[in-house]
Amino acid sequence: MGSEPPSSPQVVEDGGEEDEEELSGGEEADLRSSSGRGSLLTRRGITLRVLLKDGLVEPGDGVLAIHYLGKNFVGDLLNDGKIRWVETGQIFNSPSAWATHCKRLVNPAKKSGCGWASVRYRGQKLVQYKTTWLHKYQPSADMSLVSEEDDDEDEEEGKTAVQADEKNKNNKPGLHDVMVSRRTDRERIPVRYCTLGTRDAARDPHTLVELSAFSAINRFQPFNVAVSSNVLLLMDFHCHLTTSEVVGYLGGRWDTNTQLLTVLRAFPCRTRLADRDSASAVEEEICQNLFMRGLSLVGWYHSHPRGPALPSLQDIDSQMDHQLRLQGSNNGFQPCLGIICGPYYHGNQGVASTITPFWVVPPPEVKQRPNDYGIPVAVEVTYVQDNFLTSDVLNEMMLLVDYYRAAPDLVQFSQYWCPDTTMMDKIKGSLSCHAPKDQAYSQILEHVYSQLSNMQ
């Protein structure tokens, strides 16, 4: 599911001809000290460090993006003005260096990156922030100090990218797409199940797949599902805390007479996906908690932090394994519910996370097509509104706060999710969608939010 960034990120300095315009930290300091803000700062003097120092931009995860010829690249803006490419962890000294590197992956003949016009900060081109800086601090400056040629070229690339995206909607993604740009969560483009065909070892296991409806495959949903609002609240809270993928289990009851699956508790796994040593201990603790509460394991959840809440090929196989394991625990049918939560995908409607319950229909009979993937289908769920926030849920929230307190991938809640909404506003707004009927919960959650603020 998730992937860990390289432990020793490579610093990339090659940015083509335009990269020569980027000043080193010493040159920038010398220029400022000799001329002062009152003197005209040349175009090459306005760097990301300048914009950071003067508060026009802020460091943050995933705030930078490049869209080029139908391909998308996402970067983190670091405190020192450097850029970390999310996909590989490589560090770039300037927008031009990063843009040139990314564009050459798509088009090897590309000579320069036109970084300030190609790189966008929170959706707006960096060149516009450079213009804003000049307007604010040097209103008498010649606006030609900002490159217009870069802007024009990027517009053409943007048009080409849109055309390429439209064309790709009707084409099955191939190995070339995977090799050129292994997409992060936010960049992955879902495919239709009917385009998958048989298993292919060369296909990216992180390829997202659109959900089918039971009716589309001539079936009825074989069970009903009811999910407690407190389950959604705890699950959504867990997924909001970190930029890395998280996972947890679902506890509840299965009634064979009514064919109703009731999901009553969420059990977040306070461990890293790559930490196999602690995983078994965490799972054992969850099993004990299930037993003590008289509940059964009825499903699992995980997050796609910055991407659509749709299953990947790997998720489909994992869900199928969970279904077979639960069904094998007794001699009768028992469904296993999978839920994907997408908290920080900018394609969501408003601040609320997208929460997607799904199930996997086994592929056709072995004699017919044994190598097909299972079919991911959307599950219709009834959400049951809880009257109050239980002490169990509050305790789990505080344990999660303690677990992620010193984590390097902790979400910075003081930063902005969008121009007028901080990350803290974002999580509050999303959790309010699962609010208990008793309004006293708000005072309890404010205590939790205050703990989050103290973690920064």
Side-chain angles (χ1 to χ4, degrees), residues 350-368:
V351 297
S353 301
T354 297
I355 295 177
T356 304
F358 76 106
W359 197 62
V360 172
V361 174
E365 294 298 329
V366 175
K367 292 182 180 179
Q368 298 178 27

Side-chain angles (χ1 to χ4, degrees), residues 122-175:
R122 299 190 185 278
Q124 186 172 348
K125 295 177 185 177
L126 281 178
V127 71
Q128 294 172 285
Y129 289 91
K130 186 181 286 190
T131 304
T132 300
W133 190 96
L134 286 170
H135 276 303
K136 184 174 182 179
Y137 294 116
Q138 296 180 355
S140 61
D142 183 355
M143 287 301 110
S144 64
L145 293 175
V146 180
S147 170
E148 294 179 357
E149 292 180 359
D150 291 356
D151 199 46
D152 291 340
E153 179 178 335
D154 191 59
E155 287 300 324
E156 290 303 312
E157 291 170 353
K159 293 174 185 176
T160 309
V162 171
Q163 294 167 356
D165 282 341
E166 290 297 324
K167 180 179 179 181
N168 289 338
K169 285 180 181 178
N170 300 319
N171 293 335
K172 173 179 162 183
L175 180 60

Side-chain angles (χ1 to χ4, degrees), residues 114-410:
C114 305
W116 284 84
S118 300
V119 178
R120 295 173 182 266
Y121 172 82
R122 299 190 185 278
Q124 186 172 348
K125 295 177 185 177
L126 281 178
V127 71
Q128 294 172 285
Y129 289 91
K130 186 181 286 190
T131 304
T132 300
W133 190 96
L134 286 170
H135 276 303
K136 184 174 182 179
Y137 294 116
Q138 296 180 355
S140 61
D142 183 355
M143 287 301 110
S144 64
L145 293 175
V146 180
S147 170
E148 294 179 357
E149 292 180 359
D150 291 356
D151 199 46
D152 291 340
E153 179 178 335
D154 191 59
E155 287 300 324
E156 290 303 312
E157 291 170 353
K159 293 174 185 176
T160 309
V162 171
Q163 294 167 356
D165 282 341
E166 290 297 324
K167 180 179 179 181
N168 289 338
K169 285 180 181 178
N170 300 319
N171 293 335
K172 173 179 162 183
L175 180 60
H176 174 74
D177 297 308
V178 177
M179 294 176 64
V180 168
S181 174
R182 293 181 60 199
R183 298 184 178 94
T184 61
D185 274 348
R186 180 162 48 186
E187 297 169 303
R188 286 184 278 168
I189 300 175
V191 301
R192 298 179 64 187
Y193 176 82
C194 62
T195 67
L196 292 176
T198 57
R199 291 179 181 271
D200 183 352
R203 181 177 282 116
D204 184 356
H206 298 95
T207 300
L208 297 180
V209 183
E210 295 178 359
L211 294 179
S212 301
F214 277 100
S215 59
I217 56 175
N218 297 317
R219 296 203 182 196
F220 293 100
Q221 183 170 309
F223 50 87
N224 298 313
V225 182
V227 178
S228 156
S229 62
N230 277 341
V231 169
L232 298 177
L233 187 142
L234 180 56
M235 180 177 62
D236 199 12
F237 179 77
H238 185 196
C239 296
H240 266 94
L241 295 182
T242 170
T243 56
S244 299
E245 188 170 321
V246 303
V247 68
Y249 291 102
L250 303 173
R253 297 187 178 91
W254 166 241
D255 189 325
T256 56
N257 295 321
T258 60
Q259 297 291 288
L260 174 63
L261 184 73
T262 306
V263 183
L264 299 169
R265 277 293 310 272
F267 295 91
C269 291
R270 295 186 298 278
T271 183
R272 298 286 172 179
L273 294 183
D275 187 358
R276 299 187 182 278
D277 293 336
S278 64
S280 57
V282 170
E283 290 181 356
E284 177 61 29
E285 180 184 355
I286 291 175
C287 287
Q288 291 178 2
N289 283 332
L290 285 167
F291 177 78
M292 290 171 56
R293 290 167 175 76
L295 301 176
S296 301
L297 180 65
V298 296
W300 67 300
Y301 72 86
H302 73 284
S303 67
H304 288 177
R306 296 171 176 165
L310 292 172
S312 66
L313 295 177
Q314 191 173 43
D315 296 337
I316 292 171
D317 285 343
S318 295
Q319 173 65 18
M320 194 74 242
D321 289 343
H322 283 302
Q323 290 176 195
L324 293 174
R325 192 175 299 117
L326 280 188
Q327 188 169 329
S329 63
N330 52 40
N331 294 323
F333 170 78
Q334 177 181 334
C336 171
L337 184 69
I339 297 180
I340 303 173
C341 179
Y344 293 115
Y345 177 51
H346 280 277
N348 293 343
Q349 296 294 321
V351 297
S353 301
T354 297
I355 295 177
T356 304
F358 76 106
W359 197 62
V360 172
V361 174
E365 294 298 329
V366 175
K367 292 182 180 179
Q368 298 178 27
R369 303 181 65 175
N371 294 319
D372 280 12
Y373 292 97
I375 307 171
V377 289
V379 173
E380 293 186 5
V381 171
T382 298
Y383 295 110
V384 179
Q385 183 64 57
D386 287 302
N387 291 323
F388 53 88
L389 194 66
T390 66
S391 58
D392 279 350
V393 172
L394 179 60
N395 182 57
E396 285 286 353
M397 294 174 80
M398 296 308 299
L399 289 173
L400 286 170
V401 169
D402 288 338
Y403 179 77
Y404 288 105
R405 185 178 300 277
D409 51 359
L410 173 70

